[in-house]
Amino acid sequence: MTDRYCVIGNPVAHSRSPAIHARFAAQCHQDLSYEAILAPLDGFAATIGDFAATGGKGANVTLPFKEEAFGLCSRRSARAERAGAVNTLAFGRNEIFGDNTDGAGLVRDIEVNLGFPLAGRRVLLLGAGGAARGVIAPLLERQPAGLSVANRSGDKAETLAGQFSDLATVNAGNFAKTTGRTFDVVINATSASLSGATLPLPAGIFASGSLAYDMMYGKGETPFLALAREQGAARLADGLGMLVEQAAEAFLVWRGVRPDSAQVLAELREQLPA
Ligand code: NDP
């Protein structure tokens, strides 16, 4: 029987995960199907329950459900525990296992695909939702010179940063709190680009030679990347590489084999120019 997987979110129609996992499955000769499922905002647990009860083997979780997914798991990986958010679920006979592959995907995209080492860099992470949670510890593991988190609701950023205080001092607050500071890497982990909103970032945050990275993908130049270009960021990147790399990690969790992510990223890039 073909094993069933899915991505669950709201919205979810824009997701490229089905295309990615179909390519991984073909590449690794795995018999599986992968679909996108829209869950009502108040119906995530029920949607997951239905999928698992009808033979689903695993699911990716996208916005805004990653923190809710964490609460549904009976067992979690160390990196999911650390993140407090889950983007990969595997359904066993008597358990729901949760993992978080976002951070590994982001770091691999920045350091391997983009060739931009994070060690010694000043990093600013924008956003304090499920995606931001998943990437803080993996970013800190790369030994940056410092990590700051800025969010529309500054108190949410402060609470989030506090959860990693045993690893490092993470500066946190609203966007205005970054005024007068410069960064080598600025990562947009807000969903503002989904609605085409521009973030109210102070001028001068992009250091010379800096990388501006938007986790959003498939929207061409987002308002965040346009602002970064105008403010002198040297390199601009969308989140397509992160998407492919976090998917490869999830595929490894589910199937025990790591696909060739570089080949799939190159194929998708032809369809979705940055
Ligand atoms: P959540 O819904 O959990 O969090 C949303 C975040 O965006 C919050 O910090 C929220 O701020 C902020 N936000 C939303 N709208 C605005 C706005 N108009 N202006 C400023 N801030 C805003 O979403 P996720 O964290 O799960 O996902 C965030 C983004 O990252 C999405 O676009 C998602 O597609 C992308 N993503 C991409 C991945 C990839 O592989 N490329 C992987 C994971 C995520 P507040 O707290 O103030 O409400």
Side-chain angles (χ1 to χ4, degrees):
M1 270 230 321
T2 300
D3 289 338
R4 290 176 62 216
Y5 295 86
C6 70
V7 56
I8 298 185
N10 187 329
V12 78
H14 66 285
S15 175
R16 295 284 160 161
S17 292
I20 293 169
H21 283 279
R23 283 177 168 80
F24 287 168
Q27 203 186 61
C28 301
H29 309 290
Q30 300 280 312
D31 182 17
L32 61 85
S33 69
Y34 190 107
E35 63 200 284
I37 296 181
L38 178 72
L41 289 175
D42 60 353
F44 175 69
T47 306
I48 286 286
D50 286 348
F51 186 70
T54 53
K57 294 275 187 208
N60 282 134
V61 180
T62 187
L63 85 165
F65 299 125
K66 291 181 182 181
E67 289 156 85
E68 203 177 335
F70 179 88
L72 286 183
C73 298
S74 50
R75 189 167 65 90
R76 303 179 196 97
S77 67
R79 58 190 177 183
E81 288 290 353
R82 183 78 246 189
V86 154
N87 78 334
T88 303
L89 295 169
F91 307 119
R93 193 178 291 271
N94 291 310
E95 71 165 17
I96 300 180
F97 171 71
D99 197 358
N100 192 312
T101 66
D102 279 340
L106 173 70
V107 165
R108 189 174 160 107
D109 191 38
I110 293 177
E111 293 202 322
V112 178
N113 298 338
L114 300 174
F116 202 96
L118 289 161
R121 311 283 183 140
R122 296 160 294 177
V123 180
L124 172 61
L125 179 64
L126 305 169
R133 273 182 175 281
V135 303
I136 292 179
L139 284 171
L140 288 172
E141 276 167 22
R142 304 314 299 161
Q143 306 279 321
L147 175 64
S148 300
V149 180
N151 191 47
R152 179 172 59 183
S153 337
D155 52 344
K156 212 170 141 188
E158 285 168 23
T159 305
L160 181 60
Q163 289 166 15
F164 296 87
S165 58
D166 58 318
L167 297 181
T169 302
V170 176
N171 291 304
N174 59 20
F175 298 129
K177 210 168 164 202
T178 59
T179 305
R181 303 180 57 209
T182 53
F183 300 90
D184 305 302
V185 183
V186 182
I187 301 164
N188 181 18
T190 76
S191 52
S193 297
L194 259 184
S195 57
T198 303
L199 298 174
L201 298 174
I205 61 168
F206 294 94
S208 93
S210 60
L211 166 69
Y213 190 103
D214 199 331
M215 286 192 190
M216 189 73 224
Y217 59 89
K219 293 252 180 195
E221 188 175 83
T222 62
F224 166 73
L225 291 178
L227 182 91
R229 184 173 44 75
E230 283 157 20
Q231 290 202 16
R235 296 187 63 183
L236 308 178
D238 71 2
L240 190 65
M242 174 182 177
L243 182 79
V244 172
E245 298 297 352
Q246 63 76 31
E249 283 281 314
F251 197 90
L252 176 62
V253 170
W254 291 328
R255 311 301 294 187
V257 51
R258 194 175 211 291
D260 179 357
S261 47
Q263 184 199 335
V264 172
L265 178 56
E267 282 172 29
L268 283 187
R269 186 58 82 196
E270 277 184 24
Q271 295 171 6
L272 279 183

